[in-house]
Amino acid sequence: MPNQVPWCAIAIVIVIGVSNLSLPSHSLPFILLHGLGNECDKEGMTWFTELLSNHSGQEGYCVEVGNGIKDSWFTSITTQVDEVCETVKSLSALQSGYNIVGLSQGNVIARGIIQWCEDGPPVNNLISIGAPHAGTASVPYCGTLFLEDVEQDAESKVICSLADFMIKLGVYTSYVQNHLGPAGYVKIPTDLKAYYKGCKFLPRLNNELEDSRNTTYVERFTSLNQLILIMFEKDNVLLPRETAWFGFYAAGSLSTVLAYNETDLYLEDWIGLRTLDEAGKVSFLSLPRGHLQINETEMTSHIVPYLVDSSAVM
Ligand SMILES: *[C@@H]1O[C@H](CO)[C@@H](O)[C@H](O)[C@H]1NC(C)=O
Ligand SMILES: *[C@@H]1O[C@H](CO)[C@@H](O)[C@H](O)[C@H]1NC(C)=O
Ligand SMILES: *[C@@H]1O[C@H](CO)[C@@H](O)[C@H](O)[C@H]1NC(C)=O
Ligand SMILES: *[C@@H]1O[C@H](CO)[C@@H](O)[C@H](O)[C@H]1NC(C)=O
């Protein structure tokens, strides 16, 4: 085996050399999209972006939505997507393409970018960490959401009581849809009629409504090079945790969970997940901890390779 290494090395050098002339897509920057109740200025996010950048040798940008924490809560997800869409269009470093690392809520924003950010630069890989892709069955309890490295300080307590107040008004009312970010991806399996009627973001993102399915979303989603879906086996923030792999509760049930490949979204290929999977472009990974609790070793083996050289990773 060792005497094959030089040949491999030569082959890799040649591939990189050629690609630098024709396809400059092997060295791409990445953006990080943080989760609910978080912001780029927090130590954890700066550190994480820098760590990924150091390990991958690629430029990384933590992209903010509005003012950070408050806007992650109280700006509708649709508006958050629009803002990030404008940002990625304006960052000149991204114009030949880029990868996205999403944390939790950041991933549904990422998919909005992929699917409907008109004239945005192409997204190469999406590395999705603990995402509510198929929805979550309740607005997670504020205290738990602040797991994402945020201390429950006085400001957080005010945010939580405001969020709780809004949830009591009814998550699918148009006021709450327009003013509470996570309301855009809350899917209550025992209240699907209200969800289809009132929820303004997730049914569109997942092409769930038969009479308004958009084939452009499928084309754009299936243009991803690699989709990495990381689920946390002890996730107690997302209900059910399988939503990180596009699994969800069966209609009408809060106990039966359908695996991603048992859902209509996958079987009827509403957004192209099945197409991507059958092309060998989806990796389903699970980690033995709680929401977003990824350690440095796992980060190095599950995220960094997809930021380094997209063509070398399967
Ligand atoms: C990244 O690398 C720089 C330069 O070597 C170093 O100063 C910094 O501490 C590193 N950051 C992290 C998060 O490891
Ligand atoms: C589908 O989405 C694309 C991209 O946002 C949009 O341009 C187009 O108008 C949509 N088509 C329909 C039928 O809604
Ligand atoms: C779904 O995928 C899993 C692997 O992730 C596989 O073990 C299982 O057989 C599949 N189920 C169906 C119904 O295709
Ligand atoms: C990270 O988690 C893995 C299991 O996924 C474990 O084997 C490894 O020891 C952990 N590493 C550190 C540094 O905690």
Side-chain angles (χ1 to χ4, degrees):
M1 274 297 154
N3 60 354
Q4 288 181 354
V5 171
W7 291 106
C8 288
I10 290 165
I12 289 165
V13 170
I14 290 168
V15 170
I16 291 170
V18 170
S19 68
N20 276 346
L21 296 173
S22 51
L23 270 172
S25 63
H26 295 273
S27 175
L28 295 176
F30 68 90
I31 67 165
L32 182 95
L33 294 173
H34 65 70
L36 178 64
N38 217 324
E39 62 188 15
C40 289
D41 282 350
K42 289 275 168 185
E43 266 312 287
M45 290 303 104
T46 317
W47 175 84
F48 193 51
T49 310
E50 198 178 294
L51 196 65
L52 289 173
S53 187
N54 280 5
H55 279 277
S56 64
Q58 308 299 326
E59 272 183 87
Y61 305 86
C62 182
V63 170
E64 192 54 281
V65 177
N67 295 325
I69 294 181
K70 276 189 200 146
D71 281 309
S72 78
W73 270 104
F74 299 118
T75 295
S76 81
I77 290 288
T78 307
T79 305
Q80 296 195 39
V81 171
D82 292 344
E83 281 192 28
V84 175
C85 173
E86 289 312 311
T87 306
V88 296
K89 286 200 281 192
S90 71
L91 280 171
S92 58
L94 307 183
Q95 300 314 306
S96 322
Y98 65 106
N99 298 308
I100 304 182
V101 177
L103 293 166
S104 202
Q105 172 172 288
N107 288 290
V108 290
I109 298 174
R111 287 183 48 223
I113 297 300
I114 293 163
Q115 292 173 210
W116 66 70
C117 177
E118 294 309 321
D119 304 318
V123 180
N124 180 60
N125 295 335
L126 171 60
I127 300 109
S128 156
I129 307 170
H133 285 303
T136 181
S138 78
V139 176
Y141 170 57
C142 243
T144 352
L145 275 173
F146 276 82
L147 260 184
E148 298 184 19
D149 282 334
V150 181
E151 294 279 306
Q152 266 276 31
D153 52 21
E155 187 194 15
S156 309
K157 282 180 186 145
V158 172
I159 288 176
C160 273
S161 54
L162 185 51
D164 286 341
F165 173 76
M166 285 166 79
I167 293 156
K168 285 191 192 109
L169 293 177
V171 78
Y172 299 127
T173 58
S174 106
Y175 181 82
V176 175
Q177 287 291 311
N178 291 337
H179 293 92
L180 188 67
Y185 54 88
V186 164
K187 182 173 181 179
I188 300 171
T190 51
D191 200 8
L192 290 177
K193 221 173 142 182
Y195 165 77
Y196 293 130
K197 189 157 176 279
C199 189
K200 293 188 178 177
F201 181 78
L202 198 67
R204 173 184 175 203
L205 187 73
N206 284 345
N207 259 340
E208 287 185 87
L209 302 174
E210 198 173 353
D211 51 6
S212 53
R213 276 187 196 135
N214 190 320
T215 53
T216 304
Y217 297 172
V218 181
E219 278 163 34
R220 292 182 182 166
F221 189 62
T222 53
S223 74
L224 279 175
N225 183 30
Q226 296 287 322
L227 173 64
I228 316 306
L229 298 172
I230 300 176
M231 168 172 81
F232 293 91
E233 285 159 28
K234 295 185 182 142
D235 198 322
N236 58 5
V237 174
L238 300 178
L239 296 176
R241 62 180 173 275
E242 291 85 350
T243 185
W245 284 7
F246 285 90
F248 203 66
Y249 295 110
S253 172
L254 271 167
S255 51
T256 307
V257 176
L258 302 177
Y260 69 92
N261 53 5
E262 296 169 329
T263 65
D264 288 342
L265 178 143
Y266 183 89
L267 295 170
E268 298 177 4
D269 212 17
W270 292 344
I271 53 163
L273 179 64
R274 183 177 183 163
T275 301
L276 271 181
D277 188 27
E278 288 174 354
K281 294 181 170 184
V282 187
S283 303
F284 297 91
L285 303 173
S286 87
L287 300 180
R289 258 167 262 106
H291 193 59
L292 304 183
Q293 306 295 308
I294 186 164
N295 73 25
E296 204 165 329
T297 317
E298 294 157 341
M299 190 205 73
T300 312
S301 51
H302 302 320
I303 305 176
V304 171
Y306 299 96
L307 301 178
V308 174
D309 180 355
S310 50
S311 66
V313 178
M314 267 310 286

